[in-house]
Amino acid sequence: MKRIGPARRFVTGLALAGLMALLPTQLLALPRQGQPAPAFKVVTTSGQSVSMDNYQGRVLVVDFFATWCQPCRKSIPHLVRLNQKYGKQGLQILGMSADEDGERAVKSFAAEQHINYPVALAGETVTDAFGIRSVPVMIVIDKKGRIAGVFRGFSDEIADSMESLVKKLLAE
């Protein structure tokens, strides 16, 4: 077996560090299961300022969606039902719109979809902090503020998995 000398290791390490420097910093800081959820502060479409601190001691589902997204339109009724079913047990849901059409379009969409939880415009800072590149993405955060699950897209299987995780976290 051929050994790599110290000079070659140094050059290889330097090249790797250079490549990593070219990647967006957000890509390197994607939240993963077990890590603390990124801090955020947003204003809901009803004018309420909310941050991660508002959800201490509660299970939180952060739903990144867009009004034009068809899978999002399928996931929202599930989230509405989850909120009805588990809201009194400590579940909180926060809709985070990735739309660029402004608050008026999002308010109209929320009314049309009968959304029964707070909705805010996420903005680039929040979507970058959570590593959002597409929608829908639903992030489940435990009572201690750690990422417990990340669900990309939507299907019946995803709905079932998310509900099972929520029930487990509420019982802790």
Side-chain angles (χ1 to χ4, degrees), residues 69-90:
C69 164
Q70 289 306 314
C72 299
R73 289 177 178 266
K74 292 179 181 174
S75 68
I76 288 172
H78 171 70
L79 294 170
V80 167
R81 284 190 300 277
L82 279 181
N83 194 38
Q84 289 169 338
K85 194 171 181 180
Y86 301 106
K88 290 183 179 168
Q89 296 175 41

Side-chain angles (χ1 to χ4, degrees), residues 85-104:
K85 194 171 181 180
Y86 301 106
K88 290 183 179 168
Q89 296 175 41
L91 174 66
Q92 298 284 298
I93 299 175
L94 177 61
M96 293 274 215
S97 172
D99 283 277
E100 295 176 0
D101 293 338
E103 187 175 312
R104 188 178 209 172

Side-chain angles (χ1 to χ4, degrees), residues 102-149:
E103 187 175 312
R104 188 178 209 172
V106 174
K107 273 185 171 181
S108 175
F109 177 80
E112 171 191 312
Q113 295 293 314
H114 307 288
I115 294 177
N116 61 357
Y117 47 84
V119 174
L121 292 163
E124 191 174 336
T125 303
V126 176
T127 56
D128 284 353
F130 279 91
I132 304 302
R133 302 287 176 263
S134 63
V135 289
V137 174
M138 292 151 285
I139 299 174
V140 181
I141 301 169
D142 69 16
K143 294 175 183 177
K144 295 178 182 172
R146 295 179 310 232
I147 303 288

